[in-house]
Protein backbone atom coordinates (compact mmCIF):
# COMPACT_ATOMS: atom_id res chain seq x y z
CA UNK A 1 0.00 0.00 0.00
CA UNK A 2 1.15 3.49 -0.77
CA UNK A 3 1.95 6.07 1.87
CA UNK A 4 2.64 9.66 0.89
CA UNK A 5 4.70 11.73 3.32
CA UNK A 6 4.54 15.50 2.85
CA UNK A 7 7.34 17.39 4.59
CA UNK A 8 7.13 21.17 5.05
CA UNK A 9 9.22 23.69 6.95
CA UNK A 10 7.44 24.63 10.16
CA UNK A 11 5.65 27.94 10.35
CA UNK A 12 8.11 30.53 11.57
CA UNK A 13 11.10 28.85 9.89
CA UNK A 14 12.38 31.08 7.09
CA UNK A 15 11.72 29.53 3.69
CA UNK A 16 14.03 31.34 1.26
CA UNK A 17 13.12 28.93 -1.58
CA UNK A 18 9.44 29.78 -1.17
CA UNK A 19 10.32 33.47 -1.20
CA UNK A 20 12.40 33.06 -4.38
CA UNK A 21 9.58 31.16 -6.10
CA UNK A 22 7.08 33.86 -5.11
CA UNK A 23 9.40 36.48 -6.55
CA UNK A 24 9.81 34.53 -9.82
CA UNK A 25 6.04 34.11 -10.14
CA UNK A 26 5.65 37.87 -9.78
CA UNK A 27 8.29 38.38 -12.48
CA UNK A 28 6.29 36.08 -14.78
CA UNK A 29 3.24 38.27 -14.33
CA UNK A 30 1.28 36.10 -11.90
CA UNK A 31 -0.15 38.70 -9.58
CA UNK A 32 -1.83 38.12 -6.25
CA UNK A 33 0.51 35.37 -4.98
CA UNK A 34 0.61 36.30 -1.31
CA UNK A 35 2.90 33.58 0.00
CA UNK A 36 4.72 30.46 -1.24
CA UNK A 37 6.02 27.62 0.91
CA UNK A 38 8.20 24.89 -0.68
CA UNK A 39 8.46 21.38 0.73
CA UNK A 40 8.93 17.82 -0.41
CA UNK A 41 6.76 14.79 -1.06
CA UNK A 42 8.08 11.28 -0.42
CA UNK A 43 6.10 8.30 -1.70
CA UNK A 44 6.56 4.96 0.05
CA UNK A 45 5.42 1.63 -1.37
CA UNK A 46 4.79 -0.53 1.70
CA UNK A 47 4.18 -4.28 2.01
CA UNK A 48 1.80 -3.57 4.89
CA UNK A 49 -1.90 -3.97 3.92
CA UNK A 50 -3.54 -2.53 7.05
CA UNK A 51 -4.04 1.24 6.56
CA UNK A 52 -3.65 2.05 10.26
CA UNK A 53 -0.41 0.11 10.64
CA UNK A 54 0.92 1.49 7.33
CA UNK A 55 0.25 5.05 8.53
CA UNK A 56 1.89 4.40 11.90
CA UNK A 57 4.97 2.90 10.18
CA UNK A 58 5.28 5.84 7.78
CA UNK A 59 4.97 8.29 10.66
CA UNK A 60 7.76 6.51 12.51
CA UNK A 61 9.94 6.72 9.35
CA UNK A 62 9.15 10.42 9.06
CA UNK A 63 10.11 11.09 12.68
CA UNK A 64 13.37 9.12 12.43
CA UNK A 65 14.59 10.15 8.98
CA UNK A 66 12.27 11.70 6.41
CA UNK A 67 11.66 14.90 8.37
CA UNK A 68 13.91 16.83 10.74
CA UNK A 69 11.35 17.77 13.36
CA UNK A 70 13.56 20.61 14.63
CA UNK A 71 12.65 22.54 11.48
CA UNK A 72 10.04 20.51 9.61
CA UNK A 73 6.53 19.19 10.12
CA UNK A 74 5.07 16.26 8.20
CA UNK A 75 1.78 14.61 7.37
CA UNK A 76 1.14 11.10 6.13
CA UNK A 77 -1.66 9.99 3.79
CA UNK A 78 -2.27 6.31 3.02
CA UNK A 79 -4.13 4.94 -0.02
CA UNK A 80 -4.35 1.87 -2.22
CA UNK B 1 45.50 13.11 22.23
CA UNK B 2 44.85 10.57 19.48
CA UNK B 3 42.88 12.10 16.60
CA UNK B 4 40.99 10.52 13.73
CA UNK B 5 38.74 11.49 10.85
CA UNK B 6 35.50 9.94 9.68
CA UNK B 7 35.21 9.55 5.92
CA UNK B 8 31.75 9.50 4.35
CA UNK B 9 31.15 9.10 0.60
CA UNK B 10 30.87 12.57 -0.93
CA UNK B 11 32.96 14.54 1.53
CA UNK B 12 35.88 16.48 0.09
CA UNK B 13 37.66 18.26 2.97
CA UNK B 14 39.26 15.28 4.66
CA UNK B 15 42.74 15.90 3.22
CA UNK B 16 42.78 19.55 4.31
CA UNK B 17 41.68 18.48 7.78
CA UNK B 18 44.31 15.72 7.90
CA UNK B 19 47.03 18.25 7.02
CA UNK B 20 45.84 20.64 9.75
CA UNK B 21 45.77 17.84 12.34
CA UNK B 22 49.16 16.44 11.31
CA UNK B 23 50.60 19.96 11.37
CA UNK B 24 49.68 20.44 15.03
CA UNK B 25 49.68 16.89 16.39
CA UNK B 26 52.88 15.78 14.66
CA UNK B 27 51.29 12.49 13.66
CA UNK B 28 48.86 11.62 10.88
CA UNK B 29 45.25 11.21 12.03
CA UNK B 30 43.63 7.81 11.75
CA UNK B 31 41.15 7.61 8.86
CA UNK B 32 37.91 5.74 9.56
CA UNK B 33 35.31 4.69 6.99
CA UNK B 34 31.59 5.31 7.56
CA UNK B 35 30.94 1.57 7.63
CA UNK B 36 33.37 1.03 10.50
CA UNK B 37 31.76 0.43 13.86
CA UNK B 38 34.69 1.02 16.21
CA UNK B 39 36.69 4.20 16.80
CA UNK B 40 39.82 2.29 17.74
CA UNK B 41 40.59 4.23 20.89
CA UNK B 42 40.47 7.75 19.46
CA UNK B 43 40.33 10.69 21.88
CA UNK B 44 39.27 13.22 19.25
CA UNK B 45 36.85 12.39 16.43
CA UNK B 46 36.81 14.90 13.58
CA UNK B 47 34.01 14.99 11.01
CA UNK B 48 35.22 17.03 8.05
CA UNK B 49 33.28 18.98 5.44
CA UNK B 50 31.92 18.15 2.04
CA UNK B 51 28.69 16.80 0.66
CA UNK B 52 28.16 13.43 2.31
CA UNK B 53 25.80 11.23 0.31
CA UNK B 54 25.22 14.10 -2.12
CA UNK B 55 23.29 16.09 0.50
CA UNK B 56 20.30 13.87 -0.34
CA UNK B 57 17.14 14.49 1.69
CA UNK B 58 18.90 17.07 3.94
CA UNK B 59 22.56 17.93 4.45
CA UNK B 60 24.01 15.30 6.77
CA UNK B 61 20.78 13.29 7.10
CA UNK B 62 22.14 10.13 5.48
CA UNK B 63 25.56 10.31 7.15
CA UNK B 64 23.89 10.66 10.56
CA UNK B 65 22.44 7.14 10.06
CA UNK B 66 25.77 5.52 9.07
CA UNK B 67 27.10 2.59 11.13
CA UNK B 68 30.03 4.62 12.52
CA UNK B 69 27.68 7.21 14.03
CA UNK B 70 26.55 4.78 16.72
CA UNK B 71 30.17 4.70 17.94
CA UNK B 72 30.43 8.48 17.62
CA UNK B 73 27.29 8.91 19.78
CA UNK B 74 28.73 6.54 22.39
CA UNK B 75 31.97 8.53 22.28
CA UNK B 76 30.00 11.75 22.90
CA UNK B 77 28.09 10.11 25.77
CA UNK B 78 31.39 9.04 27.37
CA UNK B 79 32.62 12.65 27.24
CA UNK B 80 34.91 12.19 24.23
CA UNK B 81 36.08 15.10 22.09
CA UNK B 82 34.39 15.74 18.73
CA UNK B 83 34.99 18.45 16.16
CA UNK B 84 32.52 18.80 13.27
CA UNK B 85 33.23 21.33 10.54
CA UNK B 86 30.76 22.40 7.84
CA UNK B 87 29.06 19.18 6.70
CA UNK B 88 30.47 17.71 9.93
CA UNK B 89 28.45 20.26 11.93
CA UNK B 90 25.35 19.43 9.88
CA UNK B 91 25.90 15.71 10.57
CA UNK B 92 26.24 16.36 14.33
CA UNK B 93 22.91 18.23 14.41
CA UNK B 94 21.18 15.58 12.29
CA UNK B 95 22.51 12.90 14.65
CA UNK B 96 21.14 14.82 17.64
CA UNK B 97 24.60 15.25 19.19
CA UNK B 98 24.28 19.06 18.92
CA UNK B 99 20.96 20.96 18.96
CA UNK B 100 19.39 22.98 16.15
CA UNK B 101 19.68 22.65 12.39
CA UNK B 102 21.43 24.29 9.44
CA UNK B 103 19.02 25.81 6.93
CA UNK B 104 19.61 27.03 3.39
CA UNK B 105 21.56 30.32 3.43
CA UNK B 106 19.10 33.21 3.68
CA UNK B 107 20.41 34.60 0.35
CA UNK B 108 19.92 31.18 -1.31
CA UNK B 109 23.49 31.58 -2.58
CA UNK B 110 26.40 29.24 -1.97
CA UNK B 111 28.88 31.34 -0.01
CA UNK B 112 32.57 30.88 -0.76
CA UNK B 113 34.45 33.66 1.01
CA UNK B 114 36.36 34.64 4.11
CA UNK B 115 34.55 35.56 7.29
CA UNK B 116 35.60 36.65 10.77
CA UNK B 117 34.67 34.61 13.80
CA UNK B 118 34.44 36.08 17.29
CA UNK B 119 35.58 33.76 20.07
CA UNK B 120 32.81 33.79 22.68
CA UNK B 121 34.80 32.00 25.35
CA UNK B 122 38.47 31.06 25.50
CA UNK B 123 38.36 28.51 28.31
CA UNK B 124 37.62 25.39 26.26
CA UNK B 125 39.88 22.71 24.86
CA UNK B 126 39.22 24.15 21.40
CA UNK B 127 39.75 27.87 22.02
CA UNK B 128 42.26 28.24 24.85
CA UNK B 129 44.91 29.59 22.46
CA UNK B 130 42.63 32.51 21.56
CA UNK B 131 41.33 35.36 23.75
CA UNK B 132 37.65 35.87 24.56
CA UNK B 133 36.27 38.50 22.17
CA UNK B 134 39.15 38.04 19.72
CA UNK B 135 38.25 37.53 16.06
CA UNK B 136 40.02 35.27 13.64
CA UNK B 137 39.64 34.76 9.91
CA UNK B 138 38.17 31.56 8.49
CA UNK B 139 36.85 30.41 5.14
CA UNK B 140 33.15 29.82 4.49
CA UNK B 141 32.15 27.36 1.79
CA UNK B 142 28.55 26.28 2.21
CA UNK B 143 25.03 26.52 0.84
CA UNK B 144 23.29 25.49 4.04
CA UNK B 145 24.93 27.25 6.97
CA UNK B 146 22.04 29.27 8.34
CA UNK B 147 21.92 28.15 11.97
CA UNK B 148 18.41 27.68 13.31
CA UNK B 149 17.01 26.67 16.68
CA UNK B 150 13.78 27.73 18.32
CA UNK B 151 13.86 30.73 20.66
CA UNK B 152 13.83 28.51 23.77
CA UNK B 153 16.89 26.59 22.59
CA UNK B 154 18.72 29.77 21.52
CA UNK B 155 18.07 31.32 24.94
CA UNK B 156 19.32 28.12 26.59
CA UNK B 157 22.51 28.08 24.49
CA UNK B 158 23.20 31.68 25.47
CA UNK B 159 22.29 31.23 29.14
CA UNK B 160 24.61 28.21 29.40
CA UNK B 161 27.34 30.00 27.45
CA UNK B 162 27.43 27.32 24.75
CA UNK B 163 27.73 29.65 21.76
CA UNK B 164 31.32 29.02 20.64
CA UNK B 165 31.76 31.43 17.74
CA UNK B 166 29.75 34.21 16.11
CA UNK B 167 30.05 35.83 12.69
CA UNK B 168 31.44 39.31 13.30
CA UNK B 169 33.25 42.17 11.62
CA UNK B 170 37.03 42.14 11.76
CA UNK B 171 36.83 44.27 14.91
CA UNK B 172 34.34 41.96 16.60
CA UNK B 173 31.04 43.79 16.07
CA UNK B 174 27.95 41.69 15.39
CA UNK B 175 26.40 43.14 12.23
CA UNK B 176 23.98 41.94 9.56
CA UNK B 177 26.60 42.39 6.81
CA UNK B 178 29.00 40.09 8.68
CA UNK B 179 26.34 37.38 9.10
CA UNK B 180 26.16 36.40 5.44
CA UNK B 181 24.18 33.18 5.76
CA UNK B 182 21.53 34.66 8.08
CA UNK B 183 22.27 32.49 11.12
CA UNK B 184 20.13 33.01 14.22
CA UNK B 185 21.92 35.39 16.60
CA UNK B 186 24.95 35.26 14.25
CA UNK B 187 25.86 31.81 15.57
CA UNK B 188 28.70 30.16 13.62
CA UNK B 189 29.49 27.38 16.09
CA UNK B 190 28.18 25.80 19.28
CA UNK B 191 29.38 23.51 22.07
CA UNK B 192 27.76 20.55 23.77
CA UNK B 193 26.90 21.20 27.46
CA UNK B 194 30.16 19.49 28.57
CA UNK B 195 32.19 21.65 26.11
CA UNK B 196 33.72 18.51 24.55
CA UNK B 197 31.86 18.72 21.23
CA UNK B 198 32.25 21.68 18.88
CA UNK B 199 30.38 22.12 15.61
CA UNK B 200 31.03 25.08 13.31
CA UNK B 201 30.31 25.96 9.68
CA UNK B 202 33.49 27.83 8.59
CA UNK B 203 36.77 25.99 7.96
CA UNK B 204 39.59 26.71 10.45
CA UNK B 205 41.63 23.94 8.76
CA UNK B 206 41.98 26.07 5.62
CA UNK B 207 44.25 28.60 7.34
CA UNK B 208 46.91 26.72 9.29
CA UNK B 209 50.09 27.74 7.47
CA UNK B 210 51.35 31.05 6.04
CA UNK B 211 51.61 29.25 2.68
CA UNK B 212 47.81 28.92 2.74
CA UNK B 213 47.46 32.67 3.16
CA UNK B 214 47.34 32.69 6.91
CA UNK B 215 47.42 30.62 10.07
CA UNK B 216 44.35 32.02 11.87
CA UNK B 217 42.93 28.54 12.43
CA UNK B 218 46.12 26.96 13.73
CA UNK B 219 45.61 27.89 17.42
CA UNK B 220 42.49 25.71 17.48
CA UNK B 221 44.44 22.62 16.36
CA UNK B 222 47.43 23.48 18.56
CA UNK B 223 45.11 23.72 21.57
CA UNK B 224 43.62 20.30 20.79
CA UNK B 225 47.07 18.77 20.30
CA UNK B 226 48.13 20.02 23.73
CA UNK B 227 44.99 18.78 25.51
Amino acid sequence: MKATVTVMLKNGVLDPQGKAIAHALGTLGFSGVQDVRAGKVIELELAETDPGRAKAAAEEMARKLLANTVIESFRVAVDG
Amino acid sequence: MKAGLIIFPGINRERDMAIALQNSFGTAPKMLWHKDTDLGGLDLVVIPGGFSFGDYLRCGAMAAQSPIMRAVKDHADRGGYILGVCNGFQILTEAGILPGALLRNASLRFLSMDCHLRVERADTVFTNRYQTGQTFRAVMAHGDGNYFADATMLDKLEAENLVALRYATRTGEIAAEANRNGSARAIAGIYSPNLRVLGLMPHPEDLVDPLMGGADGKPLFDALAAA
Side-chain angles (χ1 to χ4, degrees), chain B residues 119-124 127 131-133 160-164 191 195:
Chain B
V119 177
E120 298 296 294
R121 59 186 296 177
D123 60 347
T124 76
T127 56
Q131 304 291 320
T132 301
E160 295 177 10
N161 204 5
L162 298 178
V163 177
Y191 293 115
L195 305 174

Side-chain angles (χ1 to χ4, degrees), chain A residues 30-72:
Chain A
F30 292 102
S31 60
V33 179
Q34 292 178 325
D35 192 25
V36 176
R37 307 281 290 170
K40 44 177 107 81
V41 173
I42 298 159
E43 294 180 344
L44 305 166
E45 207 58 62
L46 302 176
E48 180 61 59
T49 53
D50 176 77
R53 281 201 295 267
K55 186 160 193 264
E59 285 172 348
E60 182 69 2
M61 294 175 206
R63 267 189 296 275
K64 285 203 168 151
L65 179 65
L66 306 179
N68 178 343
T69 56
V70 174
I71 49 171
E72 294 168 327

Side-chain angles (χ1 to χ4, degrees), chain B residues 38-214:
Chain B
D38 190 284
L39 297 176
L42 294 180
D43 304 300
L44 169 68
V45 174
V46 182
I47 309 182
F51 303 88
S52 57
F53 298 90
D55 279 350
Y56 288 174
L57 193 62
R58 295 177 304 277
C59 301
M62 299 294 152
Q65 308 302 327
S66 289
I68 192 74
M69 288 308 291
R70 169 48 50 200
V72 174
K73 279 182 198 166
D74 290 346
H75 179 71
D77 290 343
R78 283 194 307 268
Y81 295 108
I82 303 175
L83 172 66
V85 172
C86 199
N87 195 206
F89 185 16
Q90 295 164 339
I91 292 167
L92 290 174
T93 61
E94 280 285 342
I97 295 172
L98 288 173
L102 284 310
L103 298 173
R104 183 65 43 90
N105 293 341
S107 64
L108 282 178
R109 291 175 193 277
F110 189 96
L111 295 170
S112 177
M113 58 181 65
D114 284 0
C115 64
H116 286 88
L117 300 176
R118 190 176 78 189
V119 177
E120 298 296 294
R121 59 186 296 177
D123 60 347
T124 76
V125 73
F126 300 94
T127 56
N128 61 43
R129 302 273 172 118
Y130 296 107
Q131 304 291 320
T132 301
Q134 177 189 347
T135 63
F136 69 93
R137 192 161 59 98
V139 180
M140 275 196 285
H142 59 246
D144 301 72
N146 179 351
Y147 185 74
F148 174 88
D150 62 30
T152 309
M153 178 54 73
L154 291 170
D155 289 344
K156 185 167 183 280
L157 287 171
E158 291 190 322
E160 295 177 10
N161 204 5
L162 298 178
V163 177
L165 301 159
R166 286 187 212 264
Y167 299 105
T169 64
R170 187 189 302 265
T171 52
E173 322 297 329
I174 302 302
E177 66 268 23
N179 182 13
R180 298 296 297 267
N181 59 28
S183 287
R185 302 188 194 178
I187 291 172
I190 56 170
Y191 293 115
S192 59
N194 67 0
L195 305 174
R196 301 286 185 100
V197 182
L198 169 64
L200 74 162
M201 285 309 298
H203 294 274
E205 77 277 16
D206 280 12
L207 289 173
V208 294
D209 189 310
L211 284 174
M212 294 172 162

